[in-house]
Amino acid sequence: MTTPFPFTAVVGQDDLRLALLLNAVSPAVGGVLVRGEKGTAKSTAVRALSALLPQVDVVPGCRFSCDPGSPDPACPDGPHEPGAGTTRPARMVELPVGASEDRLVGALDIERALAEGVKAFEPGLLADAHRGILYVDEVNLLHDHLVDLLLDAAAMGASYVEREGVSVRHAARFLLVGTMNPEEGELRPQLLDRFGLTVEVAASREPDQRVEVVRRRLAYDDDPAAFAARWADEEAAVRQRIVAARELLSQVRLGDGALRQIAATCAAFEVDGMRADIVMARTATALAAWAGRTDVLAEDVRQAALLALPHRRRRNPFDAPGLDEDKLDETLQEFGGSEDDDPDPDPDGPGGGGGQPAPDDDGGPQDGDTAAQPEAGDGGGEPQPSGAGAGEQSPVRASEPFRTKVLSVPGLGEGAAGRRSRARTEHGRTIGARRPQGALTKLHLAATVQAAAPHQVARGRSGPGLVVRRDDLRQATREGREGNLVLFVVDASGSMAARQRMSAVKGAVLSLLLDAYQRRDKVGLVTFRGKDAQVALPPTSSVDAAAARLESLPTGGRTPLAAGLLKAHEVLRIERLRDPARRALVVVVTDGRATGGPEPVALAGRAARLLAAEGTASVVVDCESGPVRLGLAGQLAGELDGTAVTLDELRADSIAGLVRDVQGTSRRAA
């Protein structure tokens, strides 16, 4: 077995270590979501924590890790008689991004259930993680329905498996830890709220600390066992402190003053619901126990707010995470009463007793983290294309976003689960049945009975039960919704450069980005101006990264429409190789003009017909304004075999109707 990197040897990342330790002391806190750039010891710290957790007593032979002192009366392997058990280390179970629902919650043997009435159940990862750690790396890339199942189990402490009237329940209490890189996409606010605490991590910019990180990592890689032995005393001390804090937890007093501070803080920051208040109360109590105290102080409430509130304030992916600490201190002081109003925590031991997150000292959020400050860092703008010339204008801010009409891809796809276009999915309404290909996941009961019924005499049926063979089983085929690749092709030329006009265009694209976020799409951004086109953002799940590129988009120069369409064709070709099941929707935002080079209009027409020939669904957002309209965007839509909508028609509340699907030819719709 590989020796894990010692938890106490992790350099820096005090907030991450503290959040993990608080959950080890009180799993009721609700887990940790770790957000940050790649290479910041997120996974290392989580894996190291498992070695610090106290060992657990389990019933011998129980696949669900029942406690011999109080076994679960509903355990599928039970009933168990209370008595002596065996001791083993707490487990850390990793949930792969590509895991199936059966792998997560377990699977029922439907054939035995129908034929014998036996609940033959194969436990999943939730059962393996009971009384340990469940770790989900890149949780933002996990399918939404799996995240829902995961968080429901974490909240209820139990997992339920229901298949055609046959149900199994087992205990599933675990410390949930998820990590994610915001550049690869955000979790929905509803899912963010289900994580107890959140921590933002970033690599240190201090040379001495970076040197120490490299030194320790090299020493560990050379001899993991020897390196771990050098940290054994520190590891043992933290392990003992966790045990002591767990024993003290029930004695910690959460006074009325601390409760008023918690309630006032949640109200001041306008968080939704009551979950934040409850999580803050549990976190403040765990902080006091970790510090060896039986009273919750103002410093505990302050630290609890810094860990429990930032991710609950986000209303959409473009909101910047974080808390106004001055406002926090004012609220705590106003409602502090006679308690200690000193907002400065006193670090104590590994991770500190109430250490507060250090302010971001590297110039603001990383590229892709937020669209609120697109000028931060050096990646917010589009590389300047050749030929922009002196006609380039400074970026214009987007107008207020609005709710858009639904733009969908025609036909029936089989892509990743989402909310945009029709698709065959594992979840949705049942539309038919077929023989299972691989493991049976969704039984079509009527079709199965119909397949088995003609063979009952030949199979010697003599009683009331139905004799079912595996060949009789039928998989339900279901229709739901898929997420698509929405590729924006935005005209940034001089003809679009009027400030009011470009502000409206950016507002429309921002509105479509919000729609793509809600429908779980991937997005990409191609811009064209001057002499060529640029891939401002390759296809990604991070719509806030697209918003940041859009916000800093300069305008000016000629209109190389053909170059923009050809660049879109190249992006789609590469993306089809990576993800052939995900269908694309191209959204061209332009007034339809084409200038520069020989025969620009003819070249643009040929490029458009190339996209149409490959069956690419497309829509043209017509940005032409003024009393005289040339109708060029409509002509472009015809060449693309798509449809055109004006900026006004794009709004969901426009008179033209509530929904406009992308129209395709009968050839593509088939």
Side-chain angles (χ1 to χ4, degrees):
M1 181 177 179
T2 304
T3 303
F5 192 91
F7 186 84
T8 52
V10 175
V11 179
Q13 308 295 10
D14 291 343
D15 303 317
L16 170 58
R17 293 192 293 156
L18 177 61
L20 292 172
L21 289 169
L22 292 177
N23 274 272
V25 171
S26 176
V29 166
V32 186
L33 175 64
V34 187
R35 297 163 45 92
E37 58 195 31
K38 52 188 175 293
T40 49
K42 300 189 297 292
S43 301
T44 299
V46 176
R47 294 188 175 98
L49 178 68
S50 62
L52 297 179
L53 296 182
Q55 292 193 329
V56 295
D57 295 327
V58 298
V59 173
C62 178
R63 297 174 297 167
F64 301 88
S65 301
C66 280
D67 185 346
S70 56
D72 181 7
C75 176
D77 283 356
H80 304 299
E81 293 295 330
T86 60
T87 301
R88 63 163 175 78
R91 293 173 179 158
M92 193 198 77
V93 177
E94 294 193 44
L95 174 61
V97 169
S100 65
E101 181 178 336
D102 285 346
R103 185 71 184 98
L104 176 64
V105 302
L108 285 170
D109 189 331
I110 300 297
E111 183 178 4
R112 292 189 63 192
L114 289 176
E116 305 172 28
V118 176
K119 293 182 181 179
F121 181 70
E122 183 66 29
L125 295 177
L126 291 179
D128 293 342
H130 180 46
R131 305 175 68 196
I133 299 174
L134 181 59
Y135 173 49
V136 188
D137 194 16
E138 306 294 353
V139 64
N140 52 324
L141 303 183
L142 200 64
H143 286 177
D144 281 355
H145 74 281
L146 293 183
V147 178
D148 288 331
L149 290 170
L150 177 65
L151 295 177
D152 283 343
M156 296 186 296
S159 174
Y160 295 84
V161 183
E162 301 280 349
R163 295 286 165 82
E164 302 298 337
V166 181
S167 64
V168 171
R169 172 213 167 274
H170 64 83
R173 294 184 296 274
F174 45 82
L175 194 168
L176 175 64
V177 183
T179 60
M180 59 175 284
N181 184 346
E183 292 183 356
E184 296 174 340
E186 286 286 354
L187 280 171
R188 303 197 314 267
Q190 296 88 341
L191 299 181
L192 282 173
D193 183 57
R194 301 293 290 275
F195 281 93
L197 309 180
T198 186
V199 178
E200 296 279 342
V201 296
S204 172
R205 300 302 188 258
E206 292 293 331
D208 291 343
Q209 195 170 76
R210 296 175 75 97
V211 166
E212 186 61 22
V213 170
V214 175
R215 182 182 290 120
R216 292 186 187 183
R217 186 70 213 189
L218 293 177
Y220 170 77
D221 290 341
D222 287 343
D223 192 341
F227 183 81
R230 292 201 295 271
W231 292 88
D233 291 342
E234 289 84 350
E235 294 282 284
V238 175
R239 191 178 297 110
Q240 293 171 4
R241 189 174 175 186
I242 292 174
V243 174
R246 283 186 172 185
E247 294 175 350
L248 185 62
L249 188 65
S250 61
Q251 305 173 38
V252 175
R253 185 182 71 88
L254 184 65
D256 289 343
L259 279 172
R260 283 182 59 80
Q261 286 182 317
I262 290 170
T265 300
C266 292
F269 286 99
E270 300 180 348
V271 296
D272 294 334
M274 295 298 298
R275 185 176 282 118
D277 304 63
I278 296 171
V279 170
M280 275 190 65
R282 289 172 174 166
T283 305
T285 303
L287 280 162
W290 177 247
R293 290 185 269 101
T294 55
D295 286 308
V296 173
L297 304 181
E299 66 188 53
D300 301 321
V301 176
R302 184 181 195 277
Q303 181 63 67
L306 292 171
L307 293 172
L309 295 188
H311 61 302
R312 292 185 164 87
R313 295 186 61 247
R314 302 194 72 182
R315 298 296 189 271
N316 64 61
F318 310 140
D319 290 341
L323 236 57
D324 183 339
E325 296 193 31
D326 291 337
K327 181 178 179 180
L328 173 61
D329 291 335
E330 291 173 2
T331 304
L332 293 176
Q333 186 171 4
E334 179 181 354
F335 292 88
S338 61
E339 296 193 39
D340 182 7
D341 290 331
D342 181 9
D344 294 328
D346 179 19
D348 184 12
Q356 61 184 354
D360 188 1
D361 60 357
D362 63 350
Q366 296 297 310
D367 180 29
D369 284 350
T370 176
Q373 296 177 337
E375 64 274 11
D378 60 357
E382 176 191 351
Q384 180 173 333
S386 59
E392 179 178 308
Q393 299 186 13
S394 59
V396 178
R397 295 193 66 85
S399 62
E400 285 297 315
F402 51 85
R403 189 166 64 92
T404 67
K405 294 180 179 179
V406 180
L407 304 173
S408 62
V409 179
L412 195 63
E414 295 182 344
R419 298 183 176 184
R420 183 171 297 279
S421 305
R422 296 172 55 223
R424 298 183 184 91
T425 62
E426 287 293 319
H427 300 270
R429 64 185 182 91
T430 301
I431 60 173
R434 61 175 173 80
R435 291 182 180 273
Q437 299 171 350
L440 177 70
T441 56
K442 299 292 182 182
L443 177 73
H444 194 295
L445 184 58
T448 299
V449 171
Q450 186 177 7
H455 308 290
Q456 297 306 296
V457 175
R459 292 172 182 173
R461 173 185 168 185
S462 58
L466 189 69
V467 181
V468 179
R469 301 285 186 260
R470 181 162 296 276
D471 288 345
D472 301 328
L473 299 179
R474 294 296 182 268
Q475 173 86 22
T477 56
R478 302 191 174 192
E479 181 179 311
R481 293 279 169 176
E482 67 177 359
N484 299 116
L485 166 60
V486 182
L487 182 61
F488 294 94
V489 183
V490 180
D491 185 347
S493 64
S495 66
M496 302 280 289
R499 297 188 69 83
Q500 184 175 0
R501 184 181 184 189
M502 198 61 197
S503 176
V505 168
K506 286 188 175 182
V509 178
L510 190 65
S511 302
L512 289 166
L513 283 172
L514 277 169
D515 182 68
Y517 165 74
Q518 294 165 352
R519 299 184 187 282
R520 315 308 293 162
D521 295 316
K522 292 181 71 173
V523 296
L525 179 61
V526 172
T527 65
F528 57 94
R529 66 187 182 97
K531 292 184 178 179
D532 57 9
Q534 301 284 333
V535 180
L537 184 72
T540 175
S541 296
S542 178
V543 296
D544 51 342
R549 300 297 199 279
L550 178 72
E551 190 71 20
S552 58
L553 177 66
T555 57
R558 294 183 175 179
T559 311
L561 178 56
L565 298 175
L566 290 174
K567 183 66 70 175
H569 178 269
E570 178 65 14
V571 170
L572 295 179
R573 183 187 66 81
I574 295 173
E575 197 62 19
R576 274 194 293 269
L577 296 175
R578 294 173 176 166
D579 190 356
R582 186 181 291 268
R583 298 186 295 165
L585 172 63
V586 175
V587 179
V588 185
V589 185
T590 181
D591 57 10
R593 289 180 172 84
T595 61
E599 299 183 340
V601 176
L603 284 174
R606 286 199 290 271
R609 289 191 292 274
L610 178 63
L611 285 168
E614 295 188 348
T616 305
S618 61
V619 61
V620 178
V621 179
D622 184 358
C623 301
E624 192 173 28
S625 61
V628 179
R629 295 177 177 267
L630 302 178
L632 298 176
Q635 296 177 22
L636 176 63
E639 298 280 7
L640 286 167
D641 205 6
T643 190
V645 294
T646 65
L647 288 175
D648 289 338
E649 291 172 341
L650 192 62
R651 294 178 180 271
D653 55 358
S654 69
I655 299 176
L658 293 179
V659 178
R660 177 187 296 270
D661 287 344
V662 179
Q663 300 298 318
T665 63
S666 56
R667 179 187 69 253
R668 287 196 286 117

